[in-house]
Short mmCIF file of all heavy atoms in Angstrom, two decimals:
data_model
loop_
_atom_site.label_atom_id
_atom_site.label_comp_id
_atom_site.label_asym_id
_atom_site.label_seq_id
_atom_site.Cartn_x
_atom_site.Cartn_y
_atom_site.Cartn_z
N GLU A 39 -2.60 52.39 -43.12
CA GLU A 39 -2.35 53.11 -44.37
C GLU A 39 -1.04 53.87 -44.19
O GLU A 39 -0.84 54.55 -43.17
CB GLU A 39 -3.51 54.05 -44.68
CG GLU A 39 -4.79 53.27 -44.99
CD GLU A 39 -5.96 54.15 -45.37
OE1 GLU A 39 -5.76 55.38 -45.59
OE2 GLU A 39 -7.07 53.63 -45.45
N ASN A 138 19.41 45.33 -76.13
CA ASN A 138 20.85 45.54 -76.11
C ASN A 138 21.30 45.75 -77.54
O ASN A 138 21.46 44.80 -78.30
CB ASN A 138 21.54 44.32 -75.48
CG ASN A 138 23.01 44.57 -75.24
OD1 ASN A 138 23.62 45.43 -75.87
ND2 ASN A 138 23.58 43.81 -74.33
N MET A 148 16.90 40.03 -68.48
CA MET A 148 17.67 40.54 -67.36
C MET A 148 16.96 40.13 -66.08
O MET A 148 15.73 40.19 -66.00
CB MET A 148 17.80 42.06 -67.40
CG MET A 148 18.63 42.60 -66.25
SD MET A 148 19.04 44.35 -66.38
CE MET A 148 17.55 45.09 -65.78
N VAL A 150 16.76 40.83 -61.90
CA VAL A 150 17.12 41.74 -60.83
C VAL A 150 16.74 41.05 -59.52
O VAL A 150 15.59 40.66 -59.32
CB VAL A 150 16.39 43.09 -60.94
CG1 VAL A 150 16.80 44.03 -59.81
CG2 VAL A 150 16.66 43.74 -62.30
N TYR A 151 17.73 40.86 -58.64
CA TYR A 151 17.51 40.21 -57.35
C TYR A 151 17.35 41.30 -56.29
O TYR A 151 18.24 42.13 -56.12
CB TYR A 151 18.70 39.30 -57.01
CG TYR A 151 18.91 38.23 -58.05
CD1 TYR A 151 19.76 38.45 -59.13
CD2 TYR A 151 18.24 37.02 -57.96
CE1 TYR A 151 19.94 37.47 -60.10
CE2 TYR A 151 18.42 36.04 -58.93
CZ TYR A 151 19.26 36.28 -59.99
OH TYR A 151 19.44 35.31 -60.96
N TYR A 190 -3.04 56.48 -41.25
CA TYR A 190 -4.30 56.05 -40.63
C TYR A 190 -4.13 54.69 -40.03
O TYR A 190 -3.52 53.81 -40.54
CB TYR A 190 -5.43 56.03 -41.66
CG TYR A 190 -6.74 55.56 -41.09
CD1 TYR A 190 -7.45 56.36 -40.21
CD2 TYR A 190 -7.25 54.33 -41.43
CE1 TYR A 190 -8.65 55.93 -39.69
CE2 TYR A 190 -8.46 53.89 -40.91
CZ TYR A 190 -9.15 54.70 -40.05
OH TYR A 190 -10.34 54.28 -39.54
#
Side-chain angles (χ1 to χ4, degrees):
E39 294 182 10
N138 189 338
M148 182 171 81
V150 181
Y151 301 91
Y190 178 71

